[in-house]
Amino acid sequence: MIFLKSDEEIELLRISNQIVAKTLAEMAKIIAPGISTEQLNKVAEEFIRDSGAVPGFLGYGGFPKSICTSVNDQVVHGIPTEKVVLEDGDIISVDCGAYINGFHGDSAYTFCVGNVKPEIVDLLRTTKESLYKGIEQTEEGHRIGDIGYAVQSYCEERGYSVVREMVGHGLGRDMHEAPEVPNYGRKGNGVMLKSGMVICIEPMINLGSRHLFFEKDGWTTRTLDRKHSAHFEHAVAIRRGKADILSSFEYIEQVLGSNAI
Ligand code: MG
Ligand code: MG
């Protein structure tokens, strides 16, 4: 069942998602060679709690940490650990959730660590741009398949592949609500979009093939060919017919300045 949100509920979702956006900006401040993913997790958890929220991911389905940190060929759901220390040339997707006032925030950004090869930076740029191609299709009367088609065609035309096993989702009082929002699809197919819907669009795009496998921890996904993968996510409401992005990359990009991708 799809829960349509009132204007008041959308404003509460904006608060949750803005806390996530600011938490990701805290990540931008400290991501550098030598920092462990567990250190990132600690800073994120503290910032979320200081903002009056609760980490939305902590304990969700048994997930043990407050953020997901997925490095290089890891696709999503990487578990922060002292054992993973970032190195120059890495990329890291940080996916973050914050829960406050009964509503979840959920957004992700893939960061460069030091100097990253141009071909990898291009993967990041394309993935981020594909998210906005999806958002352009997010309006009343369009269908879920229009979003997936926009993301998929933009990425595949550039030689990248789209992960199928994991998809975007509705967002609200639960972190994962209906409908599913695949990053692939056919125009005119799927659920019709309506005002009051709030969805997370989150392309996971691979440099090589789309196939992936689960690591032994049962969470982390990694590309089968060990090539890099990127992930960007926004929470988007349909408000009075049009897309209203509830999360934000502005705080991150203020921190990154001219180093923003
Ligand atoms: Mg997320
Ligand atoms: Mg999500």
Side-chain angles (χ1 to χ4, degrees):
M1 177 170 174
I2 296 172
F3 297 105
L4 299 179
K5 279 80 182 180
S6 66
D7 281 355
E8 291 74 19
E9 289 172 324
I10 288 173
E11 291 316 310
L12 293 176
L13 277 156
R14 195 188 310 280
I15 291 170
S16 312
N17 280 287
Q18 289 291 304
I19 292 172
V20 172
K22 289 172 185 169
T23 309
L24 290 173
E26 293 302 303
M27 301 292 96
K29 288 179 188 170
I30 57 173
I31 284 174
I35 196 163
S36 73
T37 53
E38 174 56 22
Q39 284 172 284
L40 296 176
N41 177 68
K42 285 204 179 95
V43 170
E45 174 159 359
E46 195 171 299
F47 187 85
I48 292 166
R49 292 194 190 281
D50 286 350
S51 306
V54 173
F57 293 0
L58 185 62
Y60 186 89
F63 191 77
K65 300 286 175 174
S66 296
I67 52 173
C68 298
T69 50
S70 307
V71 178
N72 296 339
D73 61 336
Q74 294 178 339
V75 180
V76 288
H77 302 160
I79 302 173
T81 166
E82 289 293 358
K83 289 182 199 147
V84 175
V85 176
L86 297 179
E87 292 178 19
D88 187 58
D90 284 345
I91 57 169
I92 177 171
S93 146
V94 180
D95 195 348
C96 180
Y99 180 76
I100 185 171
N101 302 318
F103 287 93
H104 284 277
D106 183 14
S107 176
Y109 196 92
T110 302
F111 298 89
C112 291
V113 183
N115 294 305
V116 172
K117 282 188 196 153
E119 70 193 76
I120 309 294
V121 174
D122 191 64
L123 168 71
L124 267 51
R125 281 202 185 112
T126 301
T127 306
K128 190 171 115 178
E129 190 57 31
S130 77
L131 166 57
Y132 290 101
K133 296 292 175 193
I135 293 170
E136 279 173 20
Q137 294 300 319
T138 306
E139 62 176 66
E140 184 153 294
H142 285 200
R143 290 182 183 269
I144 287 289
D146 297 331
I147 298 173
Y149 176 81
V151 172
Q152 179 181 15
S153 56
Y154 186 81
C155 293
E156 288 184 352
E157 278 163 16
R158 285 157 182 79
Y160 302 116
S161 64
V162 176
V163 169
R164 307 288 180 102
E165 288 85 346
M166 276 142 332
V167 296
H169 50 91
L171 181 74
R173 293 189 182 277
D174 278 318
M175 182 140 54
H176 295 117
E177 296 186 354
E180 290 195 338
V181 185
N183 298 299
Y184 56 91
R186 284 189 287 156
K187 278 186 191 173
N189 264 37
V191 170
M192 188 173 281
L193 303 177
K194 279 187 190 164
S195 289
M197 286 174 68
V198 177
I199 56 173
C200 286
I201 305 174
E202 47 179 315
M204 291 153 257
I205 306 299
N206 295 351
L207 193 58
S209 93
R210 69 177 178 83
H211 299 288
L212 48 83
F213 69 99
F214 281 84
E215 287 188 20
K216 288 198 189 86
D217 62 21
W219 283 101
T220 313
T221 50
R222 202 183 272 274
T223 59
L224 205 53
D225 60 12
R226 303 298 176 104
K227 292 188 177 173
H228 286 62
S229 183
H231 177 217
F232 288 82
E233 176 178 21
H234 269 317
V236 185
I238 303 168
R239 210 166 151 272
R240 306 192 198 294
K242 298 285 176 205
D244 180 356
I245 304 175
L246 303 179
S247 47
S248 174
F249 296 154
E250 280 173 31
Y251 308 107
I252 295 170
E253 289 172 355
Q254 275 168 19
V255 172
L256 296 178
S258 60
N259 291 325
I261 56 149

